[in-house]
Amino acid sequence: MEFSIKSGSPEKQRSACIVVGVFEPRRLSATAEQLDEISEGYISNLLRKGDLEGKSGQMLLLHHVPNILSERVLLVGCGKERELDERQYRQIINKTINTLNETGSMEAVCFLSELHVKGRDTYWKVRQAVEATQDGLYSFNSLKTHKEEPRRPLRKIVFNVPTRRELPIGERAINHALAISEGISTCKNVANMPPNICNPAYLAEQAKILSNDYEKITTEIVDEQDMEALGMGSYLAVGRGSDNESLMSIITYNGIDDDSKPLVLVGKGLTFDSGGISLKPGAGMDEMKYDMGGAAGVLGAMHALAELDLPIKVIGVLAGCENMPSSKAYRPGDILTTMSGQTVEVLNTDAEGRLVLCDALTYVERFEPDAVIDVATLTGACVVALGQHATGLLSTHNPLAHELLNASEQSGDRAWRMPLWDDYQEQLESPFADMTNLGGKEAGTITAGCFLSRFTKKYHWAHLDVAGTAWRSGGKNKGSTGRPVSMLTQFMLNRAGQEQGE
Ligand code: BES
Ligand code: MN
Ligand code: ZN
């Protein structure tokens, strides 16, 4: 899809379709008003007859509107003018794109980017519109023999902005959105890939592809032999039951030559989590192919970063591993020695994510990070607490937590903070080792965070639990969401000091 920005009046557009908003009850937006005048009341007449109330998401397609140069006019219901918020705006855009694809228009000029969305500027409206469009167009069908390519005539969308002064702002929004959408698409492609194809070696290959495609990226792979030498006893234990070797991919993006310290992103990359000896129940187990969603998110964010060519240093770590039962597998009762030297009594082999991450988090100390953010589908408890709407955010460093919350607010990729108070640490006490890997029934997301916090004392650290947000469950709609690529990329844009709006 091609996107561009224009600043013009609706009656002068000569396009296959022009898209304008109508509010509830039957109130024309400013641009719809202009079209109405030129067409001598054609549109207001229709509204008076009751053809469109203006409810959010309603669509009315008109052909040959008198005196209008464009072939079609699409009237889009936007709800009550004063209630138009971010969520509604995104939904309206999504529906508009679907409708446009059904009309046969190859090109459209969209005036919805001029609507007033509470607290949001032109940059935001254009960027969200492009991201929503790209998100809606995604499909994963590389493994179908009969690829039913849906009919999608729409090739080009022009977003209109109210003043010429805003043209560069809109253009920057498109560029940012396209880079982020590419990252999201990379994330979705790897995450949706089945676990017989997407194993730790496959993750490592994807990392190498990035370094082949971008000059500023280099990739290094840490294999099991290296991990033995490094003393990563905890990470290795989790992968022991699988014939697929554990591989940790280190993706380095060097956007600036100075003595600044890097940001480090660490992704949980369980390409399949069967639970191991503490085997999971069978129903829905296929979805544990998404247990590498954190790694996919980090890969996607690195891709977006490289596309944006930001002047910062970032290291992305994909902690690839497979958790399987076998006679070689680690067991409940085992006591593991982590790379940090701390010992862990395994009470459940299904609490494996923290065991892989703790060693990866110790490993990254060598980079002397400015900050470390790990991303993981870590706990079912997070899905219970926040559902599919918000990513769980836990951090021992308030400024970093606020930076992330800000980025999530700006990008619309929501996160919500949970506490990491010391009171919860007690739940990890073991009679035999420094800690257990199981915090008990209560506050599972927090105790998992507490576990990780014991390995992150040497730097500023935040943890994103994406168990509820990384993919959609069940049935036909199952699939990766590409989250939290948008939030992470926003975070990096902010760090790079990239202006957005004025
Ligand atoms: N990958 C799972 C967490 C998960 C479960 C994410 C369901 C999304 C949906 C993780 O490895 C796991 O199994 N966690 C256990 C931890 C428990 C044994 C302490 C869980 O959440 O049940
Ligand atoms: Mn598990
Ligand atoms: Zn897991």
Side-chain angles (χ1 to χ4, degrees):
M1 185 76 70
E2 215 186 295
F3 299 93
S4 62
I5 297 286
K6 203 173 192 172
S7 179
S9 48
E11 70 276 10
K12 295 212 183 100
Q13 307 303 315
R14 195 183 287 276
S15 171
C17 188
I18 112 163
V19 183
V20 296
V22 174
F23 295 109
E24 201 182 336
R26 305 182 201 173
R27 288 202 32 248
L28 300 174
S29 62
T31 33
E33 190 82 54
Q34 279 169 279
L35 291 182
D36 191 51
E37 252 164 56
I38 255 243
S39 66
E40 288 158 14
Y42 185 84
I43 295 175
S44 48
N45 221 347
L46 280 176
L47 295 195
R48 218 170 299 121
K49 287 183 187 150
D51 285 49
L52 187 78
E53 190 53 37
K55 284 203 191 324
S56 181
Q58 264 187 319
M59 301 278 156
L60 184 64
L61 183 68
L62 309 175
H63 290 267
H64 310 299
V65 178
N67 306 326
I68 302 289
L69 302 174
S70 292
E71 287 166 50
R72 308 171 184 80
V73 173
L74 180 62
L75 300 180
V76 176
C78 297
K80 297 217 171 70
E81 185 164 9
R82 262 184 298 157
E83 287 170 14
L84 182 57
D85 63 10
E86 302 159 9
R87 205 166 70 100
Q88 223 165 33
Y89 176 78
R90 270 193 294 264
Q91 280 171 354
I92 288 167
I93 295 283
N94 242 321
K95 226 166 164 189
T96 301
I97 304 302
N98 288 338
T99 307
L100 285 172
N101 267 320
E102 282 161 20
T103 65
S105 313
M106 304 247 297
E107 198 199 277
V109 182
C110 179
F111 283 82
L112 299 178
S113 41
E114 289 193 5
L115 298 175
H116 180 75
V117 180
K118 270 185 267 173
R120 296 301 189 179
D121 56 9
T122 296
Y123 171 88
W124 186 92
K125 285 184 281 187
V126 173
R127 189 173 127 189
Q128 288 291 327
V130 174
E131 283 187 40
T133 305
Q134 297 298 73
D135 185 63
L137 293 176
Y138 178 87
S139 66
F140 183 78
N141 56 15
S142 57
L143 299 172
K144 290 206 188 216
T145 34
H146 301 289
K147 305 192 196 329
E148 298 159 35
E149 283 290 343
R151 204 182 66 93
R152 280 179 186 149
L154 192 63
R155 291 267 164 274
K156 184 172 178 192
I157 307 178
V158 182
F159 291 107
N160 212 81
V161 293
T163 60
R164 299 193 55 80
R165 197 176 55 84
E166 284 163 284
L167 289 174
I169 294 169
E171 269 148 27
R172 185 159 52 233
I174 291 180
N175 290 340
H176 287 180
L178 286 177
I180 293 168
S181 297
E182 253 194 76
I184 287 177
S185 181
T186 297
C187 170
K188 288 178 178 175
N189 284 339
V190 235
N192 285 329
M193 201 55 85
N196 58 329
I197 296 175
C198 179
N199 52 31
Y202 183 88
L203 281 186
E205 266 169 54
Q206 304 313 303
K208 285 197 193 125
I209 290 175
L210 268 194
S211 45
N212 289 338
D213 289 353
Y214 296 94
E215 216 180 287
K216 291 181 183 161
I217 292 188
T218 49
T219 292
E220 195 195 321
I221 309 298
V222 178
D223 63 16
E224 289 190 353
Q225 205 187 334
D226 303 328
M227 290 186 200
E228 293 284 357
L230 289 159
M232 302 175 81
S234 172
Y235 191 149
L236 280 166
V238 176
R240 204 85 76 189
S242 169
D243 282 347
N244 291 316
E245 183 177 7
S246 295
L247 295 169
M248 184 167 71
S249 316
I250 316 291
I251 308 167
T252 303
Y253 171 84
N254 202 344
I256 189 163
D257 260 332
D258 61 6
D259 55 5
S260 61
K261 293 177 171 177
L263 166 71
V264 176
L265 307 174
V266 178
K268 171 177 173 183
L270 265 287
T271 58
F272 191 69
D273 176 16
S274 67
I277 297 298
S278 315
L279 193 65
K280 285 183 181 294
M285 207 206 268
D286 67 288
E287 294 193 7
M288 280 300 119
K289 73 171 185 179
Y290 288 115
D291 212 16
M292 36 63 76
V298 169
L299 182 75
M302 296 303 289
H303 190 172
L305 167 69
E307 267 304 304
L308 289 166
D309 203 31
L310 298 181
I312 51 174
K313 290 178 192 165
V314 185
I315 298 173
V317 176
L318 317 183
C321 186
E322 186 178 46
N323 186 19
M324 296 293 261
S326 95
S327 71
K328 302 259 171 50
Y330 78 133
R331 350 161 169 64
D334 284 0
I335 293 182
L336 314 174
T337 303
T338 64
M339 185 178 174
S340 73
Q342 300 177 86
T343 56
V344 182
E345 182 188 14
V346 177
L347 291 184
N348 189 320
T349 63
D350 197 12
E352 84 299 338
R354 63 198 74 182
L355 296 174
V356 168
L357 285 174
C358 70
D359 278 350
L361 288 167
T362 303
Y363 179 87
V364 302
E365 283 173 6
R366 70 188 51 214
F367 303 127
E368 295 177 25
D370 180 60
V372 177
I373 303 167
D374 78 74
V375 188
T377 50
L378 203 62
T379 62
C382 193
V383 194
V384 176
L386 298 173
Q388 54 176 300
H389 304 296
T391 292
L393 162 65
L394 298 98
S395 178
T396 42
H397 189 63
N398 285 329
L400 180 59
H402 288 128
E403 246 185 294
L404 277 163
L405 286 173
N406 255 340
S408 85
E409 173 61 26
Q410 286 167 284
S411 59
D413 187 357
R414 285 188 158 136
W416 195 256
R417 192 172 180 187
M418 294 190 214
L420 268 183
W421 297 315
D422 280 342
D423 312 52
Y424 294 96
Q425 293 281 359
E426 288 170 24
Q427 288 174 239
L428 294 171
E429 278 171 20
S430 159
F432 310 120
D434 297 340
M435 68 196 94
T436 73
N437 74 333
L438 199 62
K441 279 202 305 278
E442 297 172 353
T445 304
I446 297 174
T447 52
C450 284
F451 182 95
L452 297 178
S453 75
R454 297 176 179 219
F455 299 84
T456 59
K457 301 229 186 280
K458 301 222 169 107
Y459 45 69
H460 298 152
W461 163 75
H463 160 61
L464 297 173
D465 194 330
V466 291
T469 50
W471 79 90
R472 268 183 299 273
S473 277
K476 256 182 17 184
N477 265 332
K478 190 185 294 178
S480 164
T481 57
R483 292 175 71 179
V485 171
S486 192
M487 185 205 311
L488 289 175
T489 312
Q490 185 63 54
F491 178 89
M492 296 189 285
L493 277 168
N494 294 349
R495 283 231 155 171
Q498 298 281 309
E499 290 166 41
Q500 306 178 356
E502 334 274 310

